[in-house]
Amino acid sequence: MVTGNNEEHDGNGIHQTPLRIPELLYVSVKMENPILALAGNLFPHVFFSSAALLGDSCDCSKALSMERESASMWELSFVVPQNHEALDFKFLLKPKDDNSPCFVEEGPNRVIIGGALQGGARLASFKLDNDQAVEYKVFVQASRVSSFDLAASWRAYKENFHPSAVRGIPDVSISSELQTENETVSSVGLELDLEHYVVPAPSNSARVYAANLTENPRSRNSVSGSDSYSAGDDSFSFDQPETEMEINDLDPSKAYESPRMVKSQSVGTMSTLRKEDGQRGPFVDRGVGFPRFQKSSSLKAFTTVLSLDTDTENSFPAAAGAVAAGAIADQMLGPKEDKHLAIVMVSLPARGKTFTAAKLTRYLRWLGHNTKHFNVGKYRRLKHGASQSADFFRADNPEGIEARNEVAKLAFEDMITWMQEGGQVGIFDATNSSKQRRNMLMKLAEGRCKIIFLETICNDVDMIERNIRYKIQQSPDYAEVQDFEAGLRDFKTRVTNYEKVYETVEEGSYIKMIDMASGRGGQIQVNNISGYLPGRIVFFLMNTHLTPRPILLTRHGESQDNVRGRIGGDPALSEAGELYKQKLAKFVTKRLKSERAASIWTSTLQRTILTAGPIGGFPKIQWRALDEIDAGVCDGMTYEEIKKNMPEEYESRKKDKLRYRYPRGESYLDVIQRLEPVIIELERQRAPVVVVSHQAVLRALYAYFTDRPLKEIPHMEVPLHTIIEIELGVTGVQEKRYKLM
């Protein structure tokens, strides 16, 4: 703008008038609603009364659509002309279909004057057809920008921003409907019912009563009342001590087989350290073998002796990173008894005690800690028979009390013996509902292991009733009771007997879970808890619940590198992969059609993002933790090329795929370490989750849910174009597989 008052002279005496650059008002309006599904398929818009911006302010079809900034935030930015710095507007919710009605926010118009929102940023409230109220938070920001700066920044943005089909997608995004690339692809569907695509799972998936999967007594002498016992999936003889749980050898065809429960084995090994390059002290190895610690005669530092025997029992975890570091610190610096940890359950019957114990056992094993689950009820059935009435559990029955204390001592001594042979964490599963019983256990543990009491308290009457009915249906205690109602009455009498003498934990180190099972709140109380492993246990328990929900695991569609046999990389999909992503979208739409909410998780690599792309209606979240195992310098090579050019690496990987770490890359143990936050979040979620990831990552996740030994992870079958459905709930973990191509 030329002005006549600010004249200047140059050296030649010529009058010049400087230009004043006009500044424009740049406004950003945002709406936020963290409850993603609340407004369904309605999308936020803004319409103004200013004719300069929109013309007819009453025409909703001319409203400006807001862009999704994140999963819960919508944003609209605009430049206000100089002659319209005072303007009024309203928000509206509008479907994609222009012919459908839109919903205008309630209350007076909002007014912006000079970039300031008048009257404060009140909530944007909408009333939908079904009288449902929806509210959004509102944010308004304004700044003055010169027109030259604005134009320059826009030019730079257009010239330098080249988003690909994948990299332009934010870490969190939502697509509201099924996306298709063309009519040929969009016609691909699943013509048959989903059950037509079911294929056998590689593991036994029969539902089994959780207590039946716990440890067996070690010898005939510990249960002299009977030489053999058979109930449910158990069929035992006691000719030899048992030092390792071999659940996979049990006969799944026997009684108490109901749909889909996966069995387990425990494992206990350690990550690798070695001494190299003439330097002294422990060094982290590239992953092959694990050490026995010993004191060097010439050094004050600890050194290591390598052993490649992966079956050697060791009190250190088969783990990497923080898990190994924390365990080593606790074991080397803590008291002797702290090297072994006993989690002693405390609870009334039917409060989720055994389920919580089994879940914690599975988590600790997956992290690499040698963990076993000892159920006193199993010992009782073996010693005294399975058909004990409620009178056996009365507090005024001295014979019953003596018999129950006897089997508790047997189970605890078995656990201590196992710890002395190399076990690390024992889960001692019984009601342990009186101070007298707990004092007995603490005396047995003195100088031998550290005890942490884990008490589960549930006040949800409906949940307790469901648990009781499930127990009558599945527990060996009621296998011979033909009358369900009679069994129900007997068990409720048993619960009443326990309630009369129940004493909550107030002694020692303890964790109390109060009404945590529903996943809707509750509280957790912690007393005298310290150390890495107890801290991890508390964190895990804070995020667990019993809400049933499916988790769908699938690899990305076939990639171009899959076709070429190359590992790693970030390739696009092959033709078969393009076909699978459409079939997957149709499958997810059918499978989750009755679900109110769900989410889609992918890695940050384009083959998973492209595979999940057509899935509509659910938020998509990218996790770097879900990226494929890092092949380091071998990235992009075939295994034949590695064998030819790096024979030592090829042989090292062949010897121990679990611990082998690619040069400048990762091992399977490294992958497990970075997946722990994913596991915690999967446990915390109450809605279905679809995980689209990679073979090594899905092997590790699958091993967690099915409680498979770590050494099996690198060899598990996770084929392309197959969906593994894991159902989580009070009855345990069930598996189902669908082969779409």
Side-chain angles (χ1 to χ4, degrees):
M1 173 167 43
V2 179
T3 62
N5 298 325
N6 297 322
E7 295 185 349
E8 296 182 0
H9 294 268
D10 65 9
N12 298 320
I14 300 175
H15 293 277
Q16 294 183 336
T17 56
L19 292 175
R20 180 176 299 167
I21 307 301
E23 289 186 336
L24 302 178
L25 185 61
Y26 181 80
V27 177
S28 171
V29 179
K30 297 183 179 183
M31 291 175 63
E32 181 184 34
N33 183 350
I35 305 177
L36 300 175
L38 204 56
N41 291 322
L42 298 174
F43 301 91
H45 287 63
V46 180
F47 70 88
F48 299 83
S49 63
S50 171
L53 288 177
L54 277 178
D56 185 1
S57 62
C58 297
D59 187 354
C60 291
S61 65
K62 295 183 179 179
L64 299 180
S65 63
M66 304 181 75
E67 298 294 329
R68 184 179 291 280
E69 186 177 78
S70 68
S72 59
M73 184 77 76
W74 299 79
E75 193 261 353
L76 174 66
S77 299
F78 53 89
V79 176
V80 181
Q82 286 180 301
N83 57 340
H84 288 90
E85 291 204 357
L87 51 90
D88 59 318
F89 66 96
K90 271 195 170 185
F91 295 106
L92 62 86
L93 296 179
K94 178 181 171 185
K96 277 197 170 183
D97 182 5
D98 287 337
N99 297 324
S100 301
C102 58
F103 301 92
V104 181
E105 72 164 308
E106 298 182 333
N109 287 3
R110 299 175 185 269
V111 179
I112 293 180
I113 299 178
L117 182 64
Q118 306 301 302
R122 70 177 189 272
L123 292 174
S125 301
F126 303 86
K127 185 168 288 187
L128 308 184
D129 282 338
N130 55 3
D131 290 331
Q132 181 184 16
V134 179
E135 291 184 338
Y136 288 78
K137 293 181 181 179
V138 174
F139 308 90
V140 176
Q141 292 181 328
S143 57
R144 297 280 178 178
V145 182
S146 75
S147 55
F148 286 175
D149 288 343
L150 192 64
S153 64
W154 177 251
R155 272 198 312 274
Y157 173 82
K158 295 294 286 184
E159 290 172 359
N160 297 316
F161 184 60
H162 302 291
S164 69
V166 172
R167 297 308 177 197
I169 298 176
D171 285 347
V172 180
S173 61
I174 284 185
S175 41
S176 61
E177 59 189 23
L178 189 68
Q179 302 171 4
T180 55
E181 297 180 3
N182 53 57
E183 291 299 321
T184 302
V185 176
S186 64
S187 64
V188 173
L190 302 177
E191 297 79 11
L192 303 174
D193 185 82
L194 295 184
E195 292 299 315
H196 174 78
Y197 301 94
V198 173
V199 294
S203 59
N204 185 349
S205 58
R207 182 182 297 153
V208 179
Y209 186 59
N212 286 349
L213 298 179
T214 58
E215 290 307 299
N216 303 327
R218 299 172 66 86
S219 70
R220 181 196 301 266
N221 294 333
S222 68
V223 283
S224 58
S226 174
D227 288 341
S228 64
Y229 167 69
S230 177
D233 279 284
D234 298 317
S235 181
F236 313 128
S237 62
F238 304 105
D239 296 331
Q240 296 178 350
E242 190 168 7
T243 59
E244 188 67 36
M245 185 164 127
E246 294 294 342
I247 293 297
N248 286 344
D249 292 338
L250 299 179
D251 184 357
S253 64
K254 297 194 176 179
Y256 294 103
E257 177 179 348
S258 55
R260 308 193 303 265
M261 179 76 177
V262 184
K263 305 200 170 137
S264 63
Q265 289 180 324
S266 62
V267 111
T269 47
M270 184 183 177
S271 59
T272 303
L273 305 175
R274 76 178 177 190
K275 184 180 176 184
E276 59 182 346
D277 299 335
Q279 301 185 43
R280 296 180 177 181
F283 282 80
V284 177
D285 187 58
R286 290 212 4 262
V288 180
F290 53 88
R292 299 187 305 272
F293 270 93
Q294 64 179 22
K295 193 80 171 184
S296 169
S297 58
S298 59
L299 297 176
K300 293 183 178 180
F302 280 92
T303 60
T304 60
V305 179
L306 281 179
S307 169
L308 296 179
D309 180 7
T310 58
D311 292 325
T312 300
E313 290 289 337
N314 194 295
S315 60
F316 290 93
V323 173
I328 290 171
D330 285 354
Q331 300 261 349
M332 290 174 61
L333 303 178
K336 179 181 178 181
E337 60 268 22
D338 286 5
K339 295 180 181 180
H340 306 295
L341 178 62
I343 304 296
V344 175
M345 306 301 297
V346 178
S347 175
L348 289 168
R351 266 58 175 182
K353 163 180 55 65
T354 297
F355 176 80
T356 301
K359 206 168 191 178
L360 181 58
T361 302
R362 173 160 51 90
Y363 171 70
L364 294 175
R365 284 175 178 166
W366 183 78
L367 285 181
H369 299 284
N370 193 2
T371 306
K372 284 191 176 182
H373 182 182
F374 295 81
N375 181 267
V376 176
K378 186 182 218 178
Y379 279 69
R380 169 181 54 78
R381 287 187 285 272
L382 292 168
K383 176 77 173 177
H384 300 288
S387 55
Q388 298 292 337
S389 71
D391 290 340
F392 182 80
F393 302 92
R394 292 202 329 262
D396 59 354
N397 179 355
E399 292 82 6
I401 293 175
E402 182 180 357
R404 286 184 282 132
N405 284 340
E406 179 188 13
V407 292
K409 290 178 181 177
L410 289 173
F412 200 85
E413 288 297 336
D414 273 3
M415 182 178 69
I416 293 295
T417 302
W418 166 76
M419 287 179 174
Q420 291 170 347
E421 294 171 351
Q424 187 182 6
V425 183
I427 312 292
F428 188 76
D429 182 10
T431 55
N432 301 312
S433 54
S434 68
K435 289 184 179 179
Q436 183 180 7
R437 164 69 73 85
R438 296 193 293 268
N439 287 335
M440 179 190 80
L441 298 177
M442 285 193 288
K443 288 181 180 178
L444 290 174
E446 284 181 359
R448 305 163 84 187
C449 70
K450 177 180 180 178
I451 282 184
I452 295 177
F453 294 110
L454 174 53
E455 184 176 11
T456 58
I457 300 172
C458 179
N459 299 305
D460 187 328
V461 177
D462 293 336
M463 180 169 288
I464 294 172
E465 181 69 21
R466 287 196 299 271
N467 291 349
I468 289 175
R469 290 181 174 273
Y470 173 71
K471 193 173 183 73
I472 302 305
Q473 293 170 349
Q474 298 291 323
S475 172
D477 285 352
Y478 296 94
E480 299 178 5
V481 179
Q482 301 299 319
D483 186 346
F484 178 85
E485 293 300 325
L488 188 63
R489 288 192 298 271
D490 181 84
F491 188 77
K492 288 186 175 181
T493 303
R494 183 196 299 190
V495 173
T496 301
N497 290 336
Y498 276 106
E499 288 175 337
K500 290 177 181 178
V501 295
Y502 187 81
E503 297 173 285
T504 189
V505 176
E506 295 176 343
E507 64 273 22
S509 300
Y510 64 78
I511 304 166
K512 287 188 184 184
M513 299 176 65
I514 305 172
D515 292 328
M516 296 282 289
S518 67
R520 295 185 176 89
Q523 59 178 296
I524 189 164
Q525 297 177 3
V526 177
N527 181 66
N528 193 26
I529 300 295
S530 62
Y532 176 81
L533 186 54
R536 300 310 303 164
I537 290 172
V538 171
F539 183 65
F540 174 75
L541 294 173
M542 289 175 63
N543 291 281
T544 60
H545 56 85
L546 304 182
T547 306
R549 74 279 190 198
I551 294 174
L552 305 180
L553 307 177
T554 184
R555 290 173 65 183
H556 54 79
E558 182 187 66
S559 72
Q560 294 172 359
D561 277 358
N562 287 144
V563 176
R564 294 188 286 260
R566 300 193 176 279
I567 62 176
D570 192 15
L573 299 178
S574 67
E575 290 186 9
E578 292 288 341
L579 180 61
Y580 176 69
K581 77 177 185 181
Q582 302 298 332
K583 286 182 175 286
L584 176 64
K586 296 290 180 66
F587 175 91
V588 172
T589 301
K590 278 189 174 184
R591 176 62 185 84
L592 302 183
K593 64 182 179 182
S594 61
E595 302 290 345
R596 297 179 58 188
S599 56
I600 316 298
W601 297 1
T602 74
S603 73
T604 63
L605 301 174
Q606 68 167 332
R607 53 191 183 275
T608 65
I609 300 172
L610 291 172
T611 301
I615 302 174
F618 302 114
K620 299 188 180 81
I621 303 169
Q622 295 178 26
W623 287 71
R624 187 169 296 280
L626 291 175
D627 284 3
E628 179 61 295
I629 187 171
D630 185 353
V633 299
C634 299
D635 191 79
M637 299 174 67
T638 66
Y639 288 118
E640 284 300 316
E641 290 171 344
I642 297 174
K643 184 177 182 180
K644 178 181 178 181
N645 300 317
M646 308 171 70
E648 292 183 1
E649 296 296 333
Y650 183 85
E651 289 301 320
S652 294
R653 178 179 178 273
K654 187 176 179 180
K655 287 179 181 177
D656 190 350
K657 287 181 67 176
L658 176 67
R659 294 169 183 80
Y660 171 77
R661 181 176 292 127
Y662 286 100
R664 301 182 186 176
E666 289 182 304
S667 69
Y668 269 92
L669 292 179
D670 295 326
V671 172
I672 291 172
Q673 177 69 17
R674 66 167 154 97
L675 282 176
E676 188 186 9
V678 177
I679 289 295
I680 295 295
E681 188 58 28
L682 284 172
E683 288 286 1
R684 194 183 69 84
Q685 291 282 318
R686 295 177 58 244
V689 178
V690 180
V691 180
V692 184
S693 189
H694 310 266
Q695 180 169 250
V697 170
L698 294 181
R699 281 171 168 168
L701 294 179
Y702 178 79
Y704 169 77
F705 288 115
T706 57
D707 197 9
R708 301 285 290 277
L710 293 181
K711 61 186 178 183
E712 292 184 12
I713 290 179
H715 311 286
M716 288 178 178
E717 183 183 359
V718 183
L720 285 169
H721 305 156
T722 301
I723 297 163
I724 303 173
E725 179 175 330
I726 303 291
E727 184 77 30
L728 303 181
V730 68
T731 58
V733 178
Q734 304 162 44
E735 177 190 354
K736 201 172 188 179
R737 292 197 176 201
Y738 303 86
K739 183 73 173 176
L740 301 190
M741 291 176 58

